[in-house]
Amino acid sequence: MHIHILGICGTFMGGVAALAREAGHRVTGCDAGVYPPMSDQLRALGIELIEGYGADQLPLKPDMFVIGNVVSRARLADGAPKFPLMEAILDAGAPYISGPQWLLENVLQGRHVLAVAGTHGKTTTTSMLAWILERAGLSPGFLVGGVPLNFGISARLGTQAAGQQRSLFVIEADEYDTAFFDKRSKFVHYRPRTAVLNNLEFDHADIFDDLAQIERQFHHLVRTVPASGRVVVNGLEESLQRVLAQGCWSEVRSFGSTVSDFTAHGEASDFEVQQRGKTVGRVRWALSGTHNQLNALAAIAAADHVGVAPRQACEALAGFQNVRRRMEVRGTVQRGGGAITVYDDFAHHPTAIRTTVDGLRRQLDAAGKSGQRIVAIFEPRSNTMKLGTMKSQLPWSLEHADLAICHTGGLDWDAAEALAPLGARARVAGSIDEVVAQVMAAAQPGDHLLCMSNGGFGGVHARLLAALASEA
């Protein structure tokens, strides 16, 4: 089968492309500004990439056009379609399908799907769960919205392990909508037997009006889990309790709260795991932050559903290396009397920003480096943040940073005003050049430069490292 993927460089659609190629299909695709790292990964797989969404791609005549949710019926200022190829597909009556639907029909059908949903931590928890199953010898397939360092790839088909009734597939389950022609959340297509509800708060203000609408979508996911399945739920989240109160027909296992089925005791970098009050394992690893402790409990509870003992899961997590762009150290430069470290992190929602900053602060404190500064460098790039829906939460999210520098390019709200409660600890910059200049003027030996964005951030990490090296 030949499939042509529109929006192929997105993390999800790129994963679909990799799975299709591994399954033996001919895969081509297009995107605007075909960009790495996904473009490099796809080209390495022999997938032909085309720049833009021109209607001249219609003569490729694939068996199926697979449509990413970046594609729309939008028009440019001059009235021309933003996605001419999509218009040509519709006019020609050519076959098309959404990415999640194609995935269900061609990869997930007949497998035991373990789906990880939540506002935060989906990528990390999905990666943890895949690694636990891998270490247990279960050879899971997976599709992750990032690159787990333990695997070096974002997606694979996996194989059916001995003793397993079905092959296992672990998937990051996103609540964002499926396509311009299917406004349901992506995750309703996945039909999981094990569903993780990691956390839930308001996000995606461009498609959801309020939290209740997102809770409804999460309940649609719960409705698809069979009676023999398991719903793993964060016991600390009132929003998830409201989701379950709408109806649940499967086994429920909770984590996080003191009365949950799975609880953690100890620091986030070294803690005991208890199952219903009985110690069943211990996790000692390089990660920090309470959020990662909760992610671990979720992964352990999900793996338990497919027969991996919690103790075995804990041992596997000791070797977990996290995901690219999750507190990833991009480089260290000696300057004056100490090193300056540059990090890359995917955080973009205010809660994720606070969690990331707090996690780094706790890590420094534990290492006896409490006097070292955190410089938070971020851009409000997600659709929700661009709308300014959560701008009032930014001072709270950056409370524990010593200095915050916000890239304001593309914003139509006043970031300086929103960050005013931080006083002199907050600055704004209208361009990447200005961001680099402000950071360089403020940087001190021993600083930790924490760059946070859900995009490429204009290559600011490499530019900061180069600028620091030139002055070292």
Side-chain angles (χ1 to χ4, degrees):
M1 174 184 249
H2 174 200
I3 66 171
H4 188 66
I5 300 178
L6 282 67
I8 194 170
C9 285
T11 53
F12 173 76
M13 297 302 286
V16 170
L19 293 170
R21 186 73 182 85
E22 186 182 351
H25 301 295
R26 180 190 172 201
V27 183
T28 56
C30 63
D31 213 318
V34 171
Y35 48 90
M38 188 57 74
S39 60
D40 296 337
Q41 182 175 318
L42 294 174
R43 286 195 175 106
L45 293 172
I47 294 172
E48 179 188 348
L49 304 180
I50 300 172
E51 172 63 34
Y53 295 91
D56 56 353
Q57 297 172 52
L58 191 67
L60 289 171
K61 293 186 177 178
D63 298 290
M64 185 66 69
F65 287 98
V66 183
I67 314 301
N69 69 358
V70 68
V71 177
S72 72
R73 303 295 303 280
R75 298 273 165 173
L76 302 175
D78 62 1
K82 185 176 181 180
F83 299 93
L85 177 56
M86 192 67 239
E87 299 301 322
I89 291 168
L90 294 171
D91 285 340
Y96 67 91
I97 193 172
S98 72
Q101 186 69 29
W102 189 93
L103 189 68
L104 170 66
E105 295 179 3
N106 294 275
V107 176
L108 302 183
Q109 201 75 44
R111 295 178 182 242
H112 183 126
V113 176
L114 301 95
V116 179
T119 308
H120 314 293
K122 290 188 293 294
T123 301
T124 302
T125 307
T126 304
S127 302
M128 286 181 188
L129 179 52
W131 179 240
I132 290 170
L133 301 183
E134 176 77 358
R135 291 289 291 163
L138 299 181
S139 303
F142 57 81
L143 196 166
V144 186
V147 180
L149 295 174
N150 290 99
F151 294 101
I153 53 175
S154 63
R156 77 175 190 195
L157 288 176
T159 59
Q160 186 166 343
Q164 287 291 318
Q165 186 178 359
R166 300 177 177 86
S167 59
L168 306 179
F169 197 94
V170 185
I171 187 166
E172 181 173 333
D174 186 7
E175 70 272 23
Y176 206 79
D177 59 12
T178 296
F180 75 86
F181 51 87
D182 183 351
K183 306 314 286 183
R184 295 174 295 170
S185 291
K186 288 193 189 88
F187 56 38
V188 300
H189 295 277
Y190 300 157
R191 313 284 175 83
R193 292 182 173 273
T194 309
V196 174
L197 310 184
N198 208 17
N199 43 61
L200 176 56
E201 62 179 296
F202 185 65
D203 197 4
H204 310 307
D206 52 321
I207 61 171
F208 295 119
D209 292 331
D210 52 36
L211 180 58
Q213 286 191 356
I214 311 178
E215 289 175 2
R216 173 62 65 180
Q217 292 297 320
F218 270 67
H219 190 246
H220 290 166
L221 174 63
V222 170
R223 290 177 183 178
T224 66
V225 182
S228 58
R230 173 180 291 187
V231 176
V232 176
V233 61
N234 186 337
L236 297 169
E237 297 271 328
E238 292 183 8
S239 54
L240 292 177
Q241 296 306 313
R242 291 193 295 270
V243 169
L244 296 185
Q246 295 179 47
C248 184
W249 301 267
S250 313
E251 174 187 84
V252 177
R253 290 292 181 268
S254 60
F255 67 91
S257 73
T258 55
V259 294
S260 292
D261 296 297
F262 291 86
T263 55
H265 301 271
E267 289 298 315
S269 59
D270 184 354
F271 58 95
E272 284 188 348
V273 174
Q274 292 191 352
Q275 184 176 9
R276 296 178 180 174
K278 178 182 177 183
T279 299
V280 291
R282 186 169 185 172
V283 176
R284 295 186 182 92
W285 58 357
L287 274 65
S288 62
T290 303
H291 61 297
N292 279 320
Q293 193 176 55
L294 292 171
N295 292 341
L297 292 177
I300 291 166
D304 175 68
H305 189 226
V306 293
V308 180
R311 184 174 300 277
Q312 190 177 6
C314 291
E315 292 169 357
L317 289 175
F320 180 67
Q321 297 178 35
N322 214 334
V323 183
R324 223 168 264 169
R325 300 206 63 202
R326 270 57 178 185
M327 286 301 295
E328 180 182 0
V329 175
R330 292 290 296 269
T332 301
V333 177
Q334 289 291 330
R335 191 186 194 200
I340 296 178
T341 306
V342 178
Y343 303 81
D344 183 13
D345 195 88
F346 195 73
H348 52 93
H349 185 286
T351 299
I353 292 172
R354 183 180 176 94
T355 299
T356 299
V357 174
D358 289 0
L360 179 55
R361 173 59 65 204
R362 289 171 66 92
Q363 185 178 325
L364 295 176
D365 290 347
K369 300 177 180 178
S370 56
Q372 296 184 350
R373 301 193 315 163
I374 296 174
V375 180
I377 307 154
F378 70 102
E379 61 174 353
R381 182 183 174 276
S382 71
N383 290 333
T384 299
M385 295 305 292
K386 282 182 179 177
L387 290 171
T389 307
M390 297 182 177
K391 62 184 179 182
S392 64
Q393 295 183 35
L394 284 174
W396 165 80
S397 70
L398 296 158
E399 182 179 4
H400 297 130
D402 296 281
L403 177 64
I405 298 175
C406 176
H407 177 225
T408 61
L411 298 183
D412 58 6
W413 48 272
D414 190 338
E417 181 182 359
L419 294 167
L422 292 174
R425 292 194 296 126
R427 302 175 187 175
V428 298
S431 67
I432 299 297
D433 286 343
E434 191 179 351
V435 169
V436 173
Q438 289 201 26
V439 174
M440 291 302 297
Q444 301 174 8
D447 278 357
H448 297 263
L449 309 183
L450 177 55
C451 304
M452 295 175 283
S453 171
N454 67 342
F457 209 163
V460 70
H461 324 82
R463 293 181 62 175
L464 284 171
L465 288 167
L468 289 166
S470 69
E471 292 189 3

